[in-house]
Amino acid sequence: MTDRLQAKREQAHLWAPREPRRVRLDERPSRPPEQRAVLVEGATLRLREFVPGDVEGVLDIFGDPRTTREFGMPPFRRPDAEALVEQARTGARRTPRTHYRLGVSEIATGELIGSAKLIVEDQSGEGGMVRVGYRSAEVGLALRADRVSVGHSVEIGFLLGVLGFDRLGLHRVWSGFMPSNIAAQRAIEKAGMVREGRLRHYGHVDGVWHDIVQYSILEDDWKALRAR
């Protein structure tokens, strides 16, 4: 969360207790397993890889101050949007893959309405007495301002859970919020994520330090939600 793009406090709202009508992870057999394109579909939305043509859509999301003020950062300019798309595409080509920066689009129209991320923590600490961050990942979500508060966060949160727990075999998924984003914190608590505490000056954006309120959901929590 220390570089500018990854420090964006994306709104990872709500882990849905019910499964959408269909959930699919599309894996293209012609590519190596570590580089398979991700496509996770729900009832109305999909998580999919970013493409160069998404720059305008990213600018519509992060160029709006109504979105970026929740992250403690100024609105994007075009170079910022281009950099996010390129960062996402570079992460998708790495082996093994640890960065999943994905577009959120409507199935019916194909329109890009958000950006989601899942970043797997460093797994290289084998041999130590304590493995910190093992099978753990940070998730985040940002929706276009006109798509906030219409229920999309529930479905997107579920799709991120499918990717993280069901497909990648993670044990812990966590997310952080600006302390001022009370609505997101209340929503995520109702959805089953647990508040772990307040990390002082954990985020740094444009020369300013920010506290982050951290929440998590564990593998067993996820299984319980799936069983409902």
Side-chain angles (χ1 to χ4, degrees):
M1 295 198 312
T2 55
D3 74 12
R4 182 173 181 183
L5 288 174
Q6 295 180 11
K8 315 308 185 195
R9 294 316 328 153
E10 300 171 301
Q11 304 150 296
H13 306 307
L14 294 180
W15 295 91
R18 66 180 188 280
E19 186 174 356
R21 289 194 300 269
R22 54 188 175 126
V23 177
R24 179 165 62 92
L25 181 66
D26 184 23
E27 299 179 337
R28 300 177 184 176
S30 61
R31 305 174 70 177
E34 295 86 354
Q35 297 185 30
R36 292 171 179 170
V38 171
L39 176 62
V40 189
E41 292 192 340
T44 63
L45 301 174
R46 65 165 57 100
L47 302 181
R48 46 86 166 170
E49 305 286 6
F50 274 106
V51 298
D54 287 327
V55 170
E56 286 295 337
V58 170
L59 195 56
D60 287 341
I61 297 164
F62 291 106
D64 192 325
R66 293 175 294 176
T67 300
T68 57
R69 68 187 175 197
E70 298 296 345
F71 308 149
M73 68 179 192
F76 269 25
R77 296 171 297 173
R78 175 170 289 276
D80 300 316
E82 292 172 347
L84 185 147
V85 171
E86 181 55 33
Q87 180 192 63
R89 291 171 58 78
T90 298
R93 293 191 293 267
R94 288 177 179 162
T95 304
R97 185 173 183 177
T98 58
H99 285 55
Y100 295 81
R101 173 86 65 170
L102 304 169
V104 179
S105 62
E106 296 178 339
I107 291 176
T109 66
E111 184 179 7
L112 183 72
I113 65 165
S115 170
K117 71 176 182 181
L118 186 150
I119 300 177
V120 180
E121 297 187 26
D122 184 7
Q123 305 295 299
S124 63
E126 293 190 32
M129 294 182 64
V130 179
R131 298 186 68 178
V132 177
Y134 178 58
R135 290 173 56 199
S136 180
E138 177 193 3
V139 296
L141 168 66
L143 287 171
R144 205 171 65 198
D146 64 341
R147 292 297 193 272
V148 174
S149 301
V150 297
H152 287 327
S153 299
V154 175
E155 188 172 356
I156 297 166
F158 182 83
L159 297 180
L160 285 169
V162 169
L163 177 61
F165 292 113
D166 296 348
R167 307 298 181 176
L168 300 180
L170 298 176
H171 177 71
R172 177 177 179 270
V173 170
W174 68 274
S175 187
F177 301 88
M178 298 288 287
S180 59
N181 196 349
I182 301 299
Q185 294 175 55
R186 288 176 178 170
I188 210 163
E189 287 172 352
K190 291 178 181 178
M193 291 192 82
V194 176
R195 176 172 171 145
E196 297 183 328
R198 181 165 176 151
L199 306 180
R200 298 190 302 160
H201 285 194
Y202 191 70
H204 189 259
V205 183
D206 291 336
V208 178
W209 290 100
H210 297 274
D211 291 357
I212 297 296
V213 180
Q214 184 165 299
Y215 288 80
S216 73
I217 182 169
L218 303 181
E219 185 178 11
D220 289 344
D221 303 328
W222 173 253
K223 290 178 180 177
L225 290 176
R226 292 277 266 161
R228 291 183 185 176

